[in-house]
Every structure is written in C-alpha cells, then in structure tokens.
Amino acid sequence: MAAYFIASVTSHDDGWVADYQANVPPMVERFGGELICRSNQFERFEGEGAAPHYTVIIRFPAMADVQAFMACPDYAPFKVARIAGATSDIFAVAD
C-alpha cells in the first residue's frame, strides 16, 4: 500500500536549502520515494493560517519506507538543518 509524505514548509533562513536539495533526493530514491510535487503555488479552500512557502509530496511504496527514510542516519544532518532553518508540518498518509 503506497504512502504519501506531505510537507508544508515555511523557510526563515534559506541557508540549508541548496545543500538539502542537492543531497536529499537521492536518499529519498533509495527508499523507493518518487517526488510527485514540489511547488510554491498554493490555494486554500478551507481552514485558516499562513500559507506555506512550498509544499512537497513524495510517494513511497509503503509507510515503512517513509519511516525508514525519516530515521535514516544519512538524512539526520539534513533534517537538523531543515528544522533549524524552517518551520515544517510533515506527515504521511497511507493509500
């Protein structure tokens, strides 16, 4: 059963972005992840709150693959940099 990783990211210091974008996509692919969307085009239909700077959607083969990616030691320093430089809401949903 596929799982979709969904991240809404608002960056307050873009110093982490270039290194993250250069290194993290191959890690995602190692866990079977496929980038579906990375976009700053956003339209709210319901709810309130600030719009994110961008949203990322990645399809993984299963929820276990999302969990393994998020716990990967190779990803850890990039996760730390993202957390330091951005506010993110990240979750995954199973298909």
Coordinates of all heavy atoms in Angstrom, one line a residue:
M1 N 0.8 -1.2 0.0 CA 0.0 0.0 0.0 C 0.9 1.2 0.0 O 1.7 1.4 0.9 CB -0.9 0.0 1.2 CG -1.8 1.1 1.3 SD -2.9 1.1 2.8 CE -3.5 -0.5 2.9
A2 N 0.7 2.1 -1.0 CA 1.6 3.3 -1.1 C 1.3 4.2 0.1 O 0.3 4.2 0.7 CB 1.2 4.0 -2.4
A3 N 2.3 5.1 0.4 CA 2.2 6.1 1.4 C 2.7 7.4 0.8 O 3.6 7.4 0.0 CB 3.0 5.7 2.6
Y4 N 2.0 8.5 1.2 CA 2.4 9.8 0.6 C 2.9 10.7 1.8 O 2.2 10.9 2.8 CB 1.1 10.4 0.0 CG 0.7 9.7 -1.2 CD1 -0.1 8.6 -1.1 CD2 1.2 10.0 -2.5 CE1 -0.5 7.8 -2.2 CE2 0.8 9.3 -3.6 CZ 0.0 8.2 -3.5 OH -0.4 7.5 -4.6
F5 N 4.1 11.1 1.6 CA 4.8 12.0 2.5 C 4.4 13.4 2.1 O 4.6 13.8 0.9 CB 6.3 11.8 2.3 CG 7.2 12.8 3.0 CD1 7.8 12.5 4.3 CD2 7.5 14.0 2.4 CE1 8.6 13.4 4.9 CE2 8.4 14.9 3.0 CZ 8.9 14.6 4.3
I6 N 3.9 14.2 3.0 CA 3.4 15.6 2.7 C 4.1 16.5 3.6 O 3.9 16.4 4.8 CB 1.9 15.7 2.7 CG1 1.2 14.6 1.8 CG2 1.4 17.1 2.4 CD1 -0.2 14.4 2.0
A7 N 4.8 17.5 3.1 CA 5.4 18.5 3.9 C 5.0 19.9 3.4 O 5.1 20.2 2.3 CB 6.9 18.4 3.8
S8 N 4.6 20.7 4.4 CA 4.3 22.1 4.2 C 5.5 22.9 4.9 O 5.6 22.7 6.1 CB 3.0 22.6 4.7 OG 2.0 21.9 4.1
V9 N 6.2 23.6 4.1 CA 7.5 24.2 4.7 C 7.5 25.7 4.5 O 7.2 26.3 3.4 CB 8.7 23.6 3.9 CG1 10.0 24.2 4.5 CG2 8.7 22.1 4.0
T10 N 7.8 26.4 5.6 CA 8.0 27.9 5.6 C 9.4 28.1 6.1 O 9.7 27.9 7.2 CB 7.0 28.6 6.5 OG1 5.6 28.3 6.0 CG2 7.2 30.1 6.5
S11 N 10.2 28.6 5.1 CA 11.7 28.8 5.4 C 11.9 30.2 6.0 O 11.3 31.2 5.6 CB 12.5 28.6 4.2 OG 13.8 28.6 4.4
H12 N 12.7 30.3 7.1 CA 13.0 31.6 7.7 C 14.5 31.8 7.5 O 15.0 32.9 7.9 CB 12.5 31.7 9.1 CG 12.9 30.6 10.0 ND1 14.1 30.4 10.6 CD2 12.1 29.5 10.4 CE1 14.1 29.3 11.3 NE2 12.9 28.7 11.2
D13 N 15.3 30.9 7.0 CA 16.7 31.0 6.7 C 17.0 30.0 5.6 O 17.0 28.8 5.8 CB 17.5 30.8 7.9 CG 19.0 30.8 7.6 OD1 19.4 31.1 6.5 OD2 19.8 30.6 8.6
D14 N 17.2 30.5 4.4 CA 17.4 29.6 3.2 C 18.8 29.0 3.1 O 19.1 28.3 2.1 CB 17.1 30.4 1.9 CG 15.6 30.6 1.8 OD1 14.8 29.9 2.4 OD2 15.3 31.6 1.0
G15 N 19.6 29.2 4.1 CA 21.0 28.7 4.1 C 21.1 27.2 4.0 O 22.1 26.6 3.5
W16 N 20.1 26.4 4.4 CA 20.0 25.0 4.3 C 19.5 24.4 3.0 O 19.8 23.3 2.7 CB 19.1 24.5 5.5 CG 17.7 24.9 5.3 CD1 17.2 26.1 5.7 CD2 16.6 24.1 4.7 NE1 15.8 26.1 5.4 CE2 15.5 24.9 4.8 CE3 16.5 22.9 4.1 CZ2 14.2 24.5 4.3 CZ3 15.3 22.5 3.6 CH2 14.2 23.3 3.7
V17 N 18.8 25.2 2.2 CA 18.1 24.7 1.1 C 18.9 24.1 0.0 O 18.7 23.0 -0.5 CB 17.2 25.8 0.5 CG1 16.4 25.4 -0.8 CG2 16.2 26.3 1.5
A18 N 20.0 24.8 -0.5 CA 20.8 24.3 -1.6 C 21.4 22.9 -1.3 O 21.4 22.0 -2.1 CB 21.9 25.3 -2.0
D19 N 22.0 22.8 -0.1 CA 22.6 21.5 0.3 C 21.6 20.4 0.4 O 21.8 19.3 0.0 CB 23.4 21.7 1.6 CG 24.4 20.6 1.9 OD1 25.0 20.1 1.0 OD2 24.5 20.3 3.1
Y20 N 20.4 20.8 1.0 CA 19.3 19.8 1.1 C 18.8 19.3 -0.2 O 18.7 18.1 -0.5 CB 18.2 20.5 1.9 CG 17.1 19.6 2.4 CD1 17.1 19.1 3.7 CD2 16.0 19.2 1.6 CE1 16.1 18.3 4.2 CE2 15.0 18.4 2.0 CZ 15.0 18.0 3.3 OH 14.0 17.2 3.8
Q21 N 18.6 20.3 -1.2 CA 18.1 19.9 -2.5 C 19.1 19.1 -3.3 O 18.8 18.2 -4.1 CB 17.7 21.1 -3.3 CG 16.4 21.7 -2.7 CD 16.0 23.0 -3.5 OE1 16.8 23.7 -4.1 NE2 14.7 23.3 -3.4
A22 N 20.4 19.3 -3.0 CA 21.4 18.5 -3.7 C 21.6 17.1 -3.2 O 22.0 16.2 -3.9 CB 22.8 19.3 -3.7
N23 N 21.3 16.9 -1.9 CA 21.7 15.6 -1.3 C 20.5 14.8 -0.9 O 20.6 13.5 -0.9 CB 22.5 15.9 0.0 CG 23.9 16.4 -0.4 OD1 24.7 15.6 -0.8 ND2 24.1 17.7 -0.3
V24 N 19.4 15.3 -0.6 CA 18.3 14.5 -0.1 C 17.5 13.7 -1.2 O 17.1 12.6 -0.9 CB 17.3 15.4 0.8 CG1 16.0 14.6 1.1 CG2 18.0 15.9 2.0
P25 N 17.3 14.3 -2.4 CA 16.5 13.5 -3.4 C 17.1 12.1 -3.6 O 16.4 11.1 -3.7 CB 16.6 14.4 -4.6 CG 16.5 15.7 -4.0 CD 17.5 15.6 -2.8
P26 N 18.5 11.9 -3.7 CA 19.0 10.5 -3.9 C 18.7 9.6 -2.7 O 18.5 8.4 -2.9 CB 20.5 10.7 -4.1 CG 20.6 12.1 -4.6 CD 19.5 12.9 -3.9
M27 N 18.6 10.2 -1.5 CA 18.3 9.4 -0.3 C 16.8 9.0 -0.4 O 16.5 7.8 -0.1 CB 18.5 10.3 0.9 CG 19.9 10.5 1.3 SD 20.0 11.5 2.8 CE 21.5 12.4 2.5
V28 N 15.9 9.9 -0.8 CA 14.5 9.6 -1.0 C 14.4 8.4 -2.0 O 13.6 7.4 -1.7 CB 13.7 10.8 -1.5 CG1 12.3 10.4 -1.9 CG2 13.7 11.9 -0.4
E29 N 15.1 8.5 -3.1 CA 15.0 7.4 -4.1 C 15.5 6.1 -3.5 O 15.0 5.0 -3.9 CB 15.9 7.8 -5.3 CG 15.2 9.0 -6.1 CD 16.1 9.5 -7.2 OE1 17.2 8.9 -7.5 OE2 15.7 10.5 -7.8
R30 N 16.5 6.1 -2.6 CA 17.0 4.8 -2.0 C 15.9 4.1 -1.3 O 15.9 2.9 -1.2 CB 18.1 5.1 -1.1 CG 19.5 5.3 -1.7 CD 20.6 5.3 -0.7 NE 20.4 5.4 0.7 CZ 21.0 6.2 1.5 NH1 22.0 7.0 1.0 NH2 20.7 6.2 2.8
F31 N 14.9 4.8 -0.8 CA 13.8 4.2 -0.1 C 12.6 4.1 -0.9 O 11.5 3.8 -0.4 CB 13.5 5.0 1.2 CG 14.6 5.0 2.2 CD1 15.6 5.9 2.2 CD2 14.6 3.9 3.1 CE1 16.6 5.9 3.1 CE2 15.7 3.9 4.0 CZ 16.7 4.8 4.0
G32 N 12.7 4.2 -2.2 CA 11.7 4.0 -3.2 C 10.8 5.2 -3.4 O 9.7 5.1 -4.0
G33 N 11.2 6.3 -2.9 CA 10.4 7.6 -3.0 C 10.4 8.2 -4.3 O 11.5 8.1 -5.0
E34 N 9.3 8.7 -4.7 CA 9.2 9.4 -6.0 C 8.6 10.8 -5.8 O 7.4 10.9 -5.2 CB 8.3 8.6 -7.0 CG 8.0 9.3 -8.3 CD 7.0 8.6 -9.1 OE1 6.4 7.6 -8.7 OE2 6.6 9.1 -10.2
L35 N 9.3 11.9 -6.2 CA 8.7 13.2 -6.0 C 7.5 13.4 -6.9 O 7.6 13.2 -8.1 CB 9.8 14.2 -6.3 CG 9.4 15.7 -6.2 CD1 9.1 16.0 -4.7 CD2 10.4 16.6 -6.7
I36 N 6.4 13.7 -6.3 CA 5.2 14.0 -7.0 C 5.0 15.5 -7.3 O 4.7 15.9 -8.4 CB 3.9 13.5 -6.2 CG1 4.1 12.0 -6.0 CG2 2.7 13.8 -6.9 CD1 4.1 11.1 -7.2
C37 N 5.3 16.3 -6.3 CA 5.2 17.7 -6.4 C 6.0 18.5 -5.4 O 6.2 18.1 -4.3 CB 3.7 18.0 -6.1 SG 3.3 19.8 -6.1
R38 N 6.7 19.5 -5.9 CA 7.3 20.5 -5.0 C 6.9 21.8 -5.6 O 7.3 22.2 -6.7 CB 8.8 20.4 -5.0 CG 9.5 21.4 -4.0 CD 11.0 21.3 -4.1 NE 11.6 22.2 -3.1 CZ 11.7 23.5 -3.3 NH1 11.3 24.1 -4.4 NH2 12.3 24.2 -2.3
S39 N 6.1 22.6 -4.9 CA 5.5 23.8 -5.5 C 5.3 24.9 -4.5 O 5.0 24.6 -3.3 CB 4.2 23.4 -6.2 OG 3.6 24.6 -6.8
N40 N 5.4 26.1 -5.0 CA 5.0 27.2 -4.1 C 3.7 27.8 -4.5 O 3.2 28.9 -4.1 CB 6.1 28.3 -4.1 CG 6.3 28.9 -5.5 OD1 5.6 28.5 -6.5 ND2 7.3 29.8 -5.7
Q41 N 3.0 27.2 -5.5 CA 1.7 27.6 -5.9 C 0.6 26.9 -4.9 O 0.5 25.7 -4.9 CB 1.4 27.2 -7.3 CG 2.4 27.9 -8.3 CD 2.1 27.5 -9.7 OE1 1.0 27.3 -10.1 NE2 3.2 27.6 -10.5
F42 N -0.1 27.8 -4.2 CA -0.9 27.3 -3.1 C -2.2 28.0 -3.2 O -2.3 29.2 -3.3 CB -0.2 27.6 -1.8 CG -0.9 27.1 -0.6 CD1 -0.7 25.9 -0.1 CD2 -1.6 28.0 0.2 CE1 -1.3 25.4 1.0 CE2 -2.3 27.6 1.3 CZ -2.1 26.3 1.7
E43 N -3.3 27.3 -3.0 CA -4.6 27.8 -2.9 C -5.4 27.1 -1.7 O -5.5 25.9 -1.7 CB -5.4 27.7 -4.2 CG -6.8 28.3 -4.2 CD -7.5 28.3 -5.5 OE1 -6.8 28.0 -6.5 OE2 -8.7 28.5 -5.5
R44 N -5.8 27.9 -0.8 CA -6.5 27.4 0.4 C -8.0 27.3 0.0 O -8.6 28.3 -0.4 CB -6.3 28.2 1.6 CG -7.0 27.7 2.8 CD -6.8 28.5 4.1 NE -5.4 28.7 4.3 CZ -4.6 27.9 5.0 NH1 -5.0 26.7 5.4 NH2 -3.3 28.2 5.2
F45 N -8.7 26.2 0.3 CA -10.1 26.1 0.1 C -10.9 26.1 1.4 O -12.0 26.5 1.5 CB -10.4 24.8 -0.6 CG -10.0 24.9 -2.1 CD1 -8.8 24.2 -2.5 CD2 -10.7 25.6 -3.0 CE1 -8.4 24.3 -3.8 CE2 -10.2 25.6 -4.3 CZ -9.1 25.0 -4.7
E46 N -10.2 25.6 2.5 CA -10.8 25.7 3.8 C -9.7 25.8 4.9 O -8.6 25.5 4.6 CB -11.6 24.4 4.1 CG -12.8 24.2 3.3 CD -13.6 23.0 3.7 OE1 -13.4 22.4 4.8 OE2 -14.4 22.5 2.9
G47 N -10.1 26.3 6.0 CA -9.2 26.4 7.2 C -8.6 27.8 7.2 O -8.9 28.6 6.4
E48 N -7.7 27.9 8.2 CA -7.0 29.2 8.4 C -5.6 29.0 8.6 O -5.1 27.9 8.8 CB -7.7 29.9 9.6 CG -9.1 30.2 9.5 CD -9.7 30.8 10.7 OE1 -9.0 31.2 11.6 OE2 -10.9 30.9 10.8
G49 N -4.8 30.1 8.6 CA -3.4 30.0 8.9 C -2.6 30.5 7.7 O -3.2 30.7 6.6
A50 N -1.4 30.7 7.9 CA -0.5 31.2 6.9 C -0.2 30.1 5.8 O -0.2 29.0 6.1 CB 0.9 31.7 7.5
A51 N -0.1 30.6 4.6 CA 0.2 29.6 3.5 C 1.7 29.3 3.6 O 2.5 30.1 4.0 CB 0.0 30.3 2.2
P52 N 2.0 28.0 3.4 CA 3.5 27.6 3.4 C 4.2 28.2 2.2 O 3.6 28.6 1.2 CB 3.4 26.1 3.3 CG 2.1 25.8 2.6 CD 1.2 26.9 3.0
H53 N 5.5 28.4 2.4 CA 6.3 28.8 1.2 C 6.3 27.8 0.1 O 6.3 28.2 -1.1 CB 7.8 29.1 1.6 CG 7.9 30.3 2.5 ND1 9.1 30.5 3.2 CD2 7.1 31.3 2.8 CE1 8.9 31.7 3.9 NE2 7.7 32.1 3.6
Y54 N 6.3 26.5 0.5 CA 6.1 25.5 -0.5 C 5.6 24.2 0.1 O 5.7 24.0 1.3 CB 7.4 25.2 -1.4 CG 8.6 25.0 -0.6 CD1 9.0 23.7 -0.3 CD2 9.5 26.0 -0.2 CE1 10.1 23.4 0.5 CE2 10.6 25.8 0.5 CZ 10.9 24.5 0.8 OH 12.1 24.2 1.6
T55 N 5.1 23.3 -0.7 CA 4.6 22.0 -0.3 C 5.3 21.0 -1.1 O 5.5 21.1 -2.3 CB 3.1 21.9 -0.5 OG1 2.5 22.9 0.3 CG2 2.5 20.6 -0.1
V56 N 5.6 19.9 -0.5 CA 6.3 18.7 -1.1 C 5.5 17.5 -0.9 O 5.0 17.2 0.2 CB 7.7 18.5 -0.5 CG1 8.4 17.3 -1.1 CG2 8.6 19.7 -0.7
I57 N 5.2 16.7 -2.0 CA 4.5 15.5 -1.9 C 5.4 14.4 -2.5 O 5.9 14.6 -3.7 CB 3.2 15.5 -2.6 CG1 2.3 16.6 -2.0 CG2 2.5 14.2 -2.5 CD1 1.0 16.9 -2.7
I58 N 5.7 13.3 -1.8 CA 6.5 12.2 -2.2 C 5.8 10.9 -2.0 O 5.2 10.7 -0.9 CB 7.9 12.2 -1.5 CG1 8.6 13.5 -1.6 CG2 8.7 11.0 -2.0 CD1 9.8 13.6 -0.7
R59 N 5.7 10.1 -3.1 CA 5.1 8.8 -3.0 C 6.1 7.8 -2.6 O 7.2 7.7 -3.3 CB 4.3 8.4 -4.2 CG 3.7 7.1 -4.1 CD 2.9 6.6 -5.4 NE 3.5 7.0 -6.6 CZ 3.0 7.7 -7.6 NH1 1.7 8.0 -7.6 NH2 3.6 7.9 -8.7
F60 N 5.9 7.0 -1.6 CA 6.7 5.9 -1.2 C 6.0 4.6 -1.4 O 4.7 4.6 -1.3 CB 7.2 6.0 0.3 CG 8.2 7.0 0.5 CD1 7.9 8.4 0.8 CD2 9.6 6.7 0.6 CE1 8.9 9.3 1.0 CE2 10.5 7.6 0.8 CZ 10.2 8.9 1.0
P61 N 6.6 3.5 -1.5 CA 5.9 2.2 -1.7 C 5.1 1.8 -0.5 O 4.0 1.2 -0.7 CB 7.1 1.2 -1.9 CG 8.2 1.9 -2.4 CD 8.1 3.3 -1.8
A62 N 5.5 2.2 0.7 CA 4.7 1.8 1.9 C 5.1 2.8 3.0 O 6.1 3.4 3.0 CB 5.0 0.4 2.3
M63 N 4.3 2.8 4.1 CA 4.5 3.7 5.2 C 5.9 3.3 5.9 O 6.6 4.2 6.3 CB 3.4 3.5 6.2 CG 3.5 4.5 7.4 SD 3.3 6.3 6.9 CE 1.5 6.3 6.6
A64 N 6.2 2.0 5.9 CA 7.5 1.6 6.4 C 8.7 2.3 5.7 O 9.7 2.6 6.3 CB 7.6 0.1 6.4
D65 N 8.5 2.6 4.4 CA 9.6 3.2 3.7 C 9.7 4.7 4.1 O 10.8 5.2 4.2 CB 9.4 3.1 2.2 CG 9.4 1.6 1.7 OD1 10.4 1.0 2.0 OD2 8.3 1.2 1.2
V66 N 8.6 5.3 4.4 CA 8.6 6.7 4.9 C 9.3 6.7 6.2 O 10.2 7.6 6.5 CB 7.2 7.3 5.0 CG1 7.3 8.7 5.6 CG2 6.5 7.3 3.7
Q67 N 9.0 5.8 7.1 CA 9.5 5.7 8.4 C 11.0 5.5 8.4 O 11.8 6.1 9.1 CB 8.8 4.6 9.2 CG 7.4 5.0 9.5 CD 6.6 3.8 10.0 OE1 6.9 2.6 9.8 NE2 5.4 4.1 10.6
A68 N 11.4 4.6 7.5 CA 12.9 4.3 7.3 C 13.6 5.5 6.8 O 14.8 5.8 7.3 CB 13.1 3.1 6.4
F69 N 13.1 6.2 5.8 CA 13.7 7.4 5.3 C 13.9 8.4 6.4 O 15.0 9.0 6.6 CB 12.9 8.0 4.2 CG 13.3 9.4 3.9 CD1 14.6 9.7 3.3 CD2 12.4 10.5 4.1 CE1 14.9 11.0 3.1 CE2 12.8 11.8 3.9 CZ 14.0 12.1 3.3
M70 N 12.8 8.7 7.2 CA 12.9 9.7 8.2 C 13.9 9.4 9.3 O 14.4 10.2 10.0 CB 11.5 10.0 8.8 CG 10.5 10.7 7.8 SD 11.1 12.3 7.3 CE 10.8 13.2 8.8
A71 N 14.1 8.1 9.6 CA 15.0 7.6 10.6 C 16.4 7.3 10.1 O 17.3 7.0 10.9 CB 14.5 6.3 11.2
C72 N 16.7 7.5 8.8 CA 17.9 7.2 8.2 C 19.1 8.1 8.8 O 18.9 9.3 8.7 CB 17.9 7.4 6.7 SG 19.4 7.1 5.8
P73 N 20.1 7.5 9.2 CA 21.3 8.3 9.8 C 21.9 9.3 8.8 O 22.3 10.3 9.1 CB 22.3 7.3 10.2 CG 21.5 6.0 10.4 CD 20.4 6.1 9.4
D74 N 21.8 8.9 7.5 CA 22.4 9.8 6.4 C 21.5 11.0 6.3 O 22.0 12.1 5.9 CB 22.4 9.0 5.1 CG 23.4 7.9 5.1 OD1 24.3 7.9 5.9 OD2 23.3 7.0 4.2
Y75 N 20.2 10.9 6.6 CA 19.3 12.0 6.4 C 19.4 13.0 7.6 O 19.1 14.2 7.5 CB 17.9 11.5 6.2 CG 16.8 12.6 6.2 CD1 16.9 13.7 5.2 CD2 15.8 12.7 7.1 CE1 16.0 14.7 5.2 CE2 14.8 13.7 7.0 CZ 15.0 14.7 6.1 OH 14.0 15.7 6.1
A76 N 19.8 12.4 8.8 CA 19.8 13.2 10.0 C 20.4 14.6 10.0 O 19.7 15.5 10.4 CB 20.4 12.4 11.1
P77 N 21.6 14.8 9.4 CA 22.1 16.2 9.4 C 21.3 17.1 8.5 O 21.2 18.3 8.8 CB 23.5 16.0 8.9 CG 23.6 14.7 8.2 CD 22.5 13.9 8.9
F78 N 20.7 16.6 7.5 CA 19.8 17.5 6.6 C 18.5 17.8 7.3 O 18.0 18.9 7.2 CB 19.6 16.8 5.3 CG 20.9 16.5 4.6 CD1 21.5 15.3 4.6 CD2 21.5 17.5 3.9 CE1 22.7 15.0 3.9 CE2 22.8 17.3 3.2 CZ 23.3 16.1 3.3
K79 N 18.0 16.9 8.1 CA 16.8 17.1 8.9 C 17.1 18.2 9.9 O 16.2 19.1 10.1 CB 16.4 15.8 9.5 CG 15.1 15.9 10.3 CD 14.7 14.5 10.9 CE 13.5 14.6 11.8 NZ 13.2 13.2 12.3
V80 N 18.2 18.1 10.6 CA 18.6 19.1 11.6 C 18.7 20.4 11.0 O 18.2 21.4 11.5 CB 19.9 18.7 12.3 CG1 20.4 19.8 13.1 CG2 19.7 17.4 13.2
A81 N 19.3 20.5 9.8 CA 19.4 21.8 9.1 C 18.1 22.4 8.7 O 17.8 23.6 8.8 CB 20.3 21.7 7.9
R82 N 17.2 21.5 8.2 CA 15.9 22.0 7.8 C 15.1 22.5 9.0 O 14.5 23.5 9.0 CB 15.1 20.8 7.2 CG 13.6 21.2 6.8 CD 12.8 20.1 6.2 NE 12.9 18.8 7.0 CZ 12.3 18.6 8.1 NH1 11.6 19.5 8.7 NH2 12.4 17.4 8.7
I83 N 15.1 21.7 10.1 CA 14.4 22.2 11.3 C 15.0 23.5 11.8 O 14.2 24.4 12.3 CB 14.5 21.1 12.4 CG1 13.7 19.9 12.0 CG2 14.1 21.6 13.8 CD1 13.9 18.6 12.8
A84 N 16.3 23.7 11.7 CA 16.9 25.0 12.2 C 16.5 26.1 11.3 O 16.4 27.3 11.7 CB 18.4 24.8 12.2
G85 N 16.3 25.9 10.0 CA 16.1 26.9 9.0 C 14.6 27.1 8.6 O 14.3 28.0 7.7
A86 N 13.7 26.3 9.0 CA 12.3 26.3 8.5 C 11.4 25.8 9.6 O 11.7 25.1 10.5 CB 12.2 25.5 7.3
T87 N 10.1 26.2 9.4 CA 9.0 25.6 10.2 C 8.3 24.7 9.2 O 7.9 25.1 8.1 CB 8.1 26.7 10.6 OG1 8.8 27.6 11.5 CG2 6.9 26.2 11.4
S88 N 8.1 23.5 9.6 CA 7.5 22.4 8.7 C 6.4 21.7 9.4 O 6.5 21.4 10.6 CB 8.6 21.4 8.3 OG 9.7 22.0 7.7
D89 N 5.4 21.4 8.7 CA 4.4 20.4 9.1 C 4.6 19.2 8.1 O 4.4 19.4 6.9 CB 3.0 21.0 8.9 CG 2.6 22.0 10.0 OD1 3.0 21.8 11.1 OD2 2.0 23.0 9.6
I90 N 4.9 18.1 8.7 CA 5.2 16.9 7.9 C 4.4 15.7 8.4 O 4.4 15.4 9.6 CB 6.7 16.5 7.9 CG1 7.5 17.7 7.3 CG2 7.0 15.2 7.2 CD1 9.0 17.5 7.4
F91 N 3.7 15.0 7.5 CA 3.0 13.8 7.8 C 3.0 12.9 6.6 O 3.3 13.3 5.5 CB 1.6 14.2 8.4 CG 0.8 15.0 7.4 CD1 -0.1 14.3 6.6 CD2 0.8 16.4 7.4 CE1 -0.9 15.1 5.7 CE2 0.0 17.1 6.5 CZ -0.8 16.5 5.7
A92 N 2.5 11.7 6.9 CA 2.4 10.7 5.8 C 1.0 10.1 5.9 O 0.5 9.9 7.0 CB 3.5 9.7 5.8
V93 N 0.4 9.8 4.7 CA -0.9 9.1 4.7 C -0.7 7.9 3.8 O 0.0 7.9 2.9 CB -2.0 10.0 4.1 CG1 -2.3 11.2 5.1 CG2 -1.7 10.5 2.7
A94 N -1.4 6.8 4.3 CA -1.3 5.6 3.5 C -2.5 5.5 2.5 O -3.6 6.0 2.8 CB -1.4 4.4 4.5
D95 N -2.2 5.0 1.4 CA -3.3 4.9 0.3 C -4.1 3.6 0.5 O -3.6 2.6 0.8 CB -2.6 4.8 -1.0 CG -3.5 4.8 -2.2 OD1 -4.7 5.2 -2.0 OD2 -3.1 4.6 -3.3

